Amino acid sequence: SAQSVTVKAGETAPVTFKLKINDGGSMLFDLKLLSQSDLTVMAETLPLVAEGLGYYVGDAHTHSTLSDGRDSLTDNFGTAVGKGHAFMIATDHNYDVTQTFPITQAAAHYENFLAITANEITTEYGHMLEYGVPHRHSGGHTGHMWEIMAAYRPDAAEWQRLMNEIISEGGLCFPAHPFYFSNTGSWKWPGVGADQTQVFVYKGFTGIEVYNADSYANGITKGATEKAFEWWDRYNLKGEQRYYGISNTDGHGKDIV
């Protein structure tokens, strides 16, 4: 609420205010200082995190210089904090999730911010986000992201095996940008391709990345977002389980995350 404070020219005065927040969550708080004639003297937007049950904003698909991103984890996290996000999940391509130190070290620069280490399983035959897993799932292949991507060529049976393994380990898995393909047509999911009606090839996974800001903006594959939403809808209409939909940036730079 507005309050009146008298400050003489050239002097300073303290201003205090109280906030009552009914639920937990992350948000942006707009602060304005107005003159008696209603001219804006100062305006600032501050990130605010309130502890407790509530809605916390974050990004669950991002990339940094640990794979093919343009900016560091520290820069990515800084952008997220500035937007009022409470968390970010670092999902660099084919990243060894046991190497958590770079993520926690970068997050230490910011208060009330949670950084989580995860991985985007990246192959020429589909990409999948995996969270909460004890190790990277890469079909036994090791090395840099590009080396694994070149060597690992999962078919539909292998993808299903990975899904089953991730779920059995207590993890979560989401096919990423399932209808967004490269210029050469790679990244297509075996057995699905560009057909969003194919809902009997895979089962038992956590959900689908229905909106991917990077693929939506680039638009290499026309209708990729609409197809992802329909695929998700068709899976839930089957009724075998609840499949969750997630929306992410897939940001490869601090200007996007």
Side-chain angles (χ1 to χ4, degrees), residues 91-108:
T91 55
D92 279 294
H93 299 284
N94 294 325
Y95 186 71
D96 182 356
V97 296
T98 65
Q99 303 300 310
T100 60
F101 180 71
I103 289 82
T104 56
Q105 182 185 43

Side-chain angles (χ1 to χ4, degrees), residues 20-181:
K20 182 181 179 181
I21 301 175
N22 295 322
D23 300 297
S26 58
M27 64 207 77
L28 292 175
F29 176 65
D30 291 325
L31 180 64
K32 282 188 176 183
L33 180 62
L34 303 176
S35 69
Q36 288 185 334
S37 57
D38 283 340
L39 294 176
T40 300
V41 178
M42 184 198 77
E44 189 170 357
T45 299
L46 304 173
L48 179 65
V49 176
E51 295 183 358
L53 294 176
Y55 182 72
Y56 291 84
V57 180
D59 195 343
H61 187 174
T62 63
H63 299 281
S64 72
T65 51
L66 291 179
S67 60
D68 64 343
R70 296 184 297 277
D71 296 298
S72 67
L73 287 165
T74 302
D75 289 338
N76 286 350
F77 294 163
T79 297
V81 169
K83 290 181 177 179
H85 290 192
F87 71 91
M88 178 180 284
I89 304 180
T91 55
D92 279 294
H93 299 284
N94 294 325
Y95 186 71
D96 182 356
V97 296
T98 65
Q99 303 300 310
T100 60
F101 180 71
I103 289 82
T104 56
Q105 182 185 43
H109 292 85
Y110 307 100
E111 295 182 357
N112 299 318
F113 182 74
L114 175 65
I116 300 172
T117 305
N119 174 42
E120 181 178 8
I121 304 172
T122 305
T123 80
E124 289 288 343
Y125 301 93
H127 293 191
M128 186 165 69
L129 297 164
E130 58 173 348
Y131 310 123
V133 291
H135 59 90
R136 171 179 61 194
H137 292 82
S138 58
H141 300 284
T142 59
H144 189 268
M145 61 162 286
W146 300 117
E147 295 173 324
I148 295 175
M149 186 174 178
Y152 195 25
R153 299 178 177 271
D155 57 13
E158 172 64 5
W159 274 120
Q160 186 63 64
R161 185 194 69 78
L162 284 180
M163 293 172 178
N164 296 344
E165 184 174 312
I166 291 168
I167 297 299
S168 70
E169 293 173 347
L172 307 174
C173 54
F174 294 79
H177 48 76
F179 297 99
Y180 174 61
F181 317 129

Side-chain angles (χ1 to χ4, degrees), residues 181-212:
F181 317 129
S182 72
N183 285 314
T184 59
S186 58
W187 311 340
K188 289 183 178 180
W189 277 78
V192 176
D195 186 359
Q196 70 274 21
T197 68
Q198 295 292 339
V199 293
F200 294 98
V201 180
Y202 306 104
K203 64 180 181 179
F205 52 95
T206 311
I208 297 167
E209 185 182 59
V210 293
Y211 180 80
N212 179 294

